[in-house]
């Protein structure tokens, strides 16, 4: 065990245990000159096949398309060192992976046809076009938000469907025929934007009204937010872009004596969740808190210790009152990270 821990420290000096039982590791993994934040939660028996990997939004984006491989390695790796080495190899491969360049023909008819499509669409929607007309960027303003779509044309355009790159939280595929054009793509782009409007409304409200720790500069495709709940305690939420007002996946981060009561409140008040309300308002209702603004928390930092003692006392008293009224056999235990919809306070 000691040799394994020494190897882990030597290979990953920024990835360290967070408790004495070494069931929680947190830190950074490096690849291609970049550092990526991650957190690994192990069961008491330290078996990787039952572990849970929490990735920062940067790491999650980098591993997009490789998640099944990471899951497979977690199931099959004999120990933590082996898993971390394999995770680094997968991450290196993901970062090195590049798409093949596009090559376009140059007949005058191709260019005149493409220019006609742009003219019909509207020059005001054109953001960028490269000298070869192989890459075209278009913009759309929806609900005060500007969105971009990058269209990469292939050699046989329009007989062959172009590739489209968008900053969406869900896959975007274009329905294409040889008679299709940039107008067809743009129309489908607008329809997709409209379908995601509620999701972005939800995320914008969170960004505007709470202190978001991660990501610092969220993209439109980011579905996760780590939000400050108080001094040294936060919640990480993963929002379903197709159902943005439904209960998200939640993970409380902080000391046991603070996060466990929050889990109890969540399960106790789960029936209060109303999809007709905003996600932020529902979180306030079920957690029985007001999300603090950054300025307020930073101002109260000198008085942090006293405030924590008072807050902890109130939470512990609430737990004591709950335990006094509910038989212990009907109470469930809570983990720090869980899919909230799977937990209730009382057994059926």
């Amino acid at each position: 065990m000691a040799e394994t821990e020494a190897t882990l420290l030597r290979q990953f000096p920024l990835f360290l245990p967070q408790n004495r039982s070494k069931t929680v590791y947190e830190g950074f993994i490096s690849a291609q000159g970049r550092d990526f934040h991650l957190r690994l939660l192990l069961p008491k028996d330290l078996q990787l096949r039952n572990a849970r990997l929490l990735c920062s939004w940067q790491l999650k984006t980098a591993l997009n398309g490789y998640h099944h491989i990471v899951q497979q390695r977690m199931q099959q790796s004999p120990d933590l060192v082996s898993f971390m080495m394999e995770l680094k190899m997968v991450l290196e491969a993901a970062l090195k992976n590049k798409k093949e360049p596009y090559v376009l023909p140059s007949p005058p008819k191709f260019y005149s046809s493409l220019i006609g499509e742009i003219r019909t669409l509207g020059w005001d929607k054109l953001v960028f076009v490269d000298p070869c007309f192989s890459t075209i960027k278009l913009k759309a303003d929806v609900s005060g938000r500007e969105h971009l779509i990058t269209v990469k044309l292939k050699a046989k355009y329009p007989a062959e469907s172009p590739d489209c790159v968008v900053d969406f939280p869900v896959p975007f595929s274009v329905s294409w025929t040889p008679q299709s054009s940039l107008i067809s793509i743009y129309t489908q782009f607008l329809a997709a934007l409209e379908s995601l409007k509620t999701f972005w409304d939800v995320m914008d409200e969170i960004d505007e009204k709470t202190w978001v720790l991660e990501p610092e500069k969220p993209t439109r495709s980011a579905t996760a937010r780590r939000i400050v709940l108080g001094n040294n305690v936060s919640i990480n939420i993963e929002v379903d872009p197709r159902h943005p007002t439904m209960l998200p996946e939640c993970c409380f981060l902080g000391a046991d004596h603070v996060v466990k009561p929050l889990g109890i409140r969540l399960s106790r008040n789960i029936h209060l969740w109303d999809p007709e309300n905003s996600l932020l308002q529902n979180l306030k209702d079920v957690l029985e808190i007001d999300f603090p603004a950054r300025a307020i928390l930073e101002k109260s930092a000198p008085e942090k210790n006293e405030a924590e003692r008072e807050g902890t006392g109130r939470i512990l008293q609430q737990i004591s009152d709950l335990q006094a009224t509910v038989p212990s056999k009907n109470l469930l235990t809570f983990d720090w990270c869980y899919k909230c919809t799977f937990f209730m306070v009382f057994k059926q």
Side-chain angles (χ1 to χ4, degrees):
M1 176 66 78
E3 183 179 350
T4 300
E5 293 173 359
T7 303
L8 181 65
L9 181 60
R10 185 169 59 253
Q11 296 292 336
F12 303 93
L14 300 179
F15 187 66
L16 302 171
Q18 303 297 304
N19 57 7
R20 290 184 179 180
S21 59
K22 297 181 180 177
T23 57
V24 180
Y25 282 78
E26 186 169 8
F28 296 87
I29 184 172
S30 301
Q32 297 288 300
R34 298 169 60 187
D35 294 328
F36 298 86
H37 182 259
L38 72 163
R39 181 181 177 94
L40 184 67
L41 306 178
L42 294 165
K44 292 182 180 180
D45 60 9
L46 304 182
Q47 294 298 308
L48 273 169
R49 62 177 177 271
N50 296 320
R52 180 171 184 188
L53 181 64
L54 302 176
C55 301
S56 65
W57 67 274
Q58 295 100 329
L59 180 56
K60 183 177 180 181
T61 300
L63 291 173
N64 185 34
Y66 292 81
H67 295 167
H68 65 290
I69 299 178
V70 174
Q71 186 64 36
Q72 182 187 62
R73 300 321 306 151
M74 187 179 292
Q75 294 291 322
Q76 298 178 1
S77 296
D79 53 53
L80 181 56
V81 175
S82 299
F83 170 69
M84 290 299 295
M85 294 294 290
E86 292 176 358
L87 176 61
K88 183 171 182 176
M89 291 176 60
V90 172
L91 181 57
E92 292 275 3
L95 293 173
K96 288 180 180 178
N97 185 32
K98 301 291 183 181
K99 291 186 177 181
E100 295 182 358
Y102 295 87
V103 179
L104 284 176
S106 55
K109 182 179 178 181
F110 168 82
Y111 294 106
S112 60
S113 174
L114 201 54
I115 290 173
E117 292 179 20
I118 296 174
R119 183 185 301 114
T120 302
L121 186 63
W123 289 102
D124 59 315
K125 297 177 178 62
L126 180 66
V127 176
F128 168 83
V129 59
D130 71 345
C132 296
F133 277 64
S134 61
T135 301
I136 299 173
K137 290 186 180 180
L138 304 171
K139 71 176 181 179
D141 294 300
V142 178
S143 300
R145 292 182 283 259
E146 183 176 282
H147 300 272
L148 299 178
I149 180 171
T150 301
V151 182
K152 297 186 177 183
L153 306 178
K154 299 180 182 178
K156 297 181 180 179
Y157 176 88
E160 191 175 4
S161 171
D163 285 339
C164 299
V165 180
V166 294
D167 191 14
F168 283 2
V170 295
F172 176 70
S173 58
V174 175
S175 177
W176 188 264
T177 68
Q179 290 73 43
S180 298
S181 65
L182 289 179
I183 300 171
S184 307
I185 294 175
Y186 195 78
T187 300
Q188 295 175 63
F189 178 52
L190 290 178
L193 290 176
E194 187 62 31
S195 71
L196 291 166
K197 177 181 178 300
T198 302
F199 167 74
W200 285 316
D201 287 343
V202 164
M203 305 310 278
D204 283 351
E205 182 183 25
I206 291 173
D207 293 337
E208 293 169 5
K209 298 182 180 180
T210 69
W211 181 358
V212 175
L213 294 176
E214 290 186 60
E216 292 184 5
K217 296 180 179 180
T219 62
R220 289 299 175 191
S221 60
T223 58
R225 293 292 190 275
R226 183 181 169 202
I227 310 168
V228 172
L229 298 180
N231 289 314
N232 300 321
V233 59
S234 59
I235 181 174
N236 193 82
I237 62 172
E238 185 77 32
V239 181
D240 182 351
R242 295 298 189 191
H243 307 283
T245 61
M246 299 298 289
L247 183 68
E249 183 175 346
C250 299
C251 176
F252 295 107
L253 303 174
D256 257 2
H257 69 277
V258 178
V259 300
K260 286 188 177 180
L262 289 170
I264 290 176
R265 290 184 192 175
L266 180 60
S267 294
R268 181 180 62 198
N269 296 328
I270 201 71
H271 64 283
L272 298 177
W273 195 278
D274 184 357
E276 296 299 317
N277 293 334
S278 72
L279 186 145
L280 182 60
Q281 184 59 52
N282 275 313
L283 286 175
K284 290 180 180 180
D285 292 341
V286 298
L287 295 178
E288 301 175 6
I289 63 170
D290 286 321
F291 287 83
R294 179 170 186 166
I296 295 176
L297 276 182
E298 290 179 337
K299 183 178 180 181
S300 65
E303 304 169 1
K304 180 177 72 173
N305 292 338
E306 182 62 29
E308 285 182 344
R309 284 194 293 269
E310 293 179 0
T312 301
R314 288 194 296 271
I315 292 173
L316 291 177
Q317 182 59 51
Q318 291 174 3
I319 295 176
S320 177
D321 294 343
L322 178 63
Q323 292 174 333
T325 57
V326 178
S328 59
K329 65 180 182 179
N330 289 336
L331 284 174
L332 294 179
T333 57
F334 292 86
D335 194 0
W336 284 2
C337 301
Y338 49 87
K339 180 69 177 177
C340 307
T341 52
F342 295 167
F343 281 74
M344 294 296 287
V345 173
F346 306 114
K347 293 180 180 177
Q348 299 297 325

